[in-house]
């Protein structure tokens, strides 16, 4: 199938190399931080019995993630080839799987059980993410 022509769509990297690039990068960092903090506050609200507040905070976290995604597009943090980006993310997931396992061992030696538990679970999650991405690449490439 020939590529269709559209009159208007998202362009990647519009701010890369401009005087806005640094601001967009800082905004990306801030938006991802805010998303994590909103989710943490939502979990605390749940522990305190405020399920309704938790759900509102989760929506805010998702909106912050959407802002971060737009910044990634503006600064060309992804390419126009999703499979190339998936391969890059796969490398990151493999690295994170190993790094988090190392961090779990460090937490264990420091006798910080909650950190050890977190890093072990997160390491397994990163491994699962890697397998998912690997499966996508095997299926479509």
């Amino acid at each position: 199938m020939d590529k269709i022509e559209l009159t208007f769509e998202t362009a990647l990297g519009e701010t890369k190399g401009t005087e806005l690039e640094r601001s967009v990068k800082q905004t990306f960092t801030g938006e991802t931080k805010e998303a994590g903090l909103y989710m943490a506050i939502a979990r605390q609200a749940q522990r305190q019995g405020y399920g309704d507040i938790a759900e509102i905070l989760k929506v805010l976290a998702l909106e912050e993630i959407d802002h971060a995604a737009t910044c990634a597009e503006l600064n060309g943090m992804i390419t126009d080839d999703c499979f190339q980006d998936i391969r890059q993310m796969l490398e990151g997931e493999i690295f994170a799987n190993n790094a988090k396992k190392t961090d779990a061992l460090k937490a264990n030696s420091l006798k910080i059980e909650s950190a050890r538990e977190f890093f072990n679970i997160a390491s397994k999650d990163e491994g699962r993410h890697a397998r998912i991405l690997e499966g996508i690449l095997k299926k479509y490439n």
Side-chain angles (χ1 to χ4, degrees):
M1 178 175 166
D2 292 333
K3 187 170 182 172
I4 61 171
E5 292 294 323
L6 299 173
T7 57
F8 196 57
E9 64 181 318
T10 300
L12 301 177
E14 289 182 299
T15 56
K16 190 171 187 74
T18 73
E19 61 189 65
L20 285 174
E21 183 176 8
R22 184 169 184 247
S23 293
V24 172
K25 183 178 181 179
Q26 289 172 334
T27 301
F28 175 84
T29 300
E31 298 291 349
T32 56
K33 179 180 177 179
E34 289 169 353
L37 289 171
Y38 276 128
M39 287 300 289
I41 298 166
R43 289 164 50 159
Q44 180 59 20
Q46 289 172 331
R47 287 189 289 270
Q48 290 180 265
Y50 301 116
D52 55 335
I53 294 173
E55 293 307 309
I56 292 166
L57 294 170
K58 288 179 187 179
V59 169
L60 296 179
L62 289 173
E63 289 180 7
E64 301 297 1
I65 291 168
D66 190 58
H67 296 163
T70 299
C71 290
E73 292 169 336
L74 284 169
N75 267 1
M77 296 169 69
I78 61 168
T79 69
D80 61 356
D81 180 352
C82 70
F83 295 108
Q84 178 180 329
D85 296 326
I86 290 170
R87 282 188 289 279
Q88 183 176 338
M89 294 304 294
L90 174 58
E91 290 176 19
E93 296 290 354
I94 293 167
F95 177 83
N97 170 260
N98 292 315
K100 284 178 176 61
K101 183 59 180 173
T102 300
D103 291 337
L105 295 171
K106 181 63 152 177
N108 190 53
S109 72
L110 295 171
K111 299 186 183 347
I112 305 174
E113 179 64 24
S114 57
R116 182 198 61 79
E117 183 179 336
F118 163 74
F119 284 120
N120 274 330
I121 291 168
S123 178
K124 289 178 183 180
D125 286 345
E126 304 295 4
R128 180 174 47 83
H129 300 164
R131 293 294 183 204
I132 291 167
L133 297 176
E134 178 185 45
I136 290 169
L137 292 172
K138 282 182 180 177
K139 182 174 182 177
Y140 292 101
N141 278 302

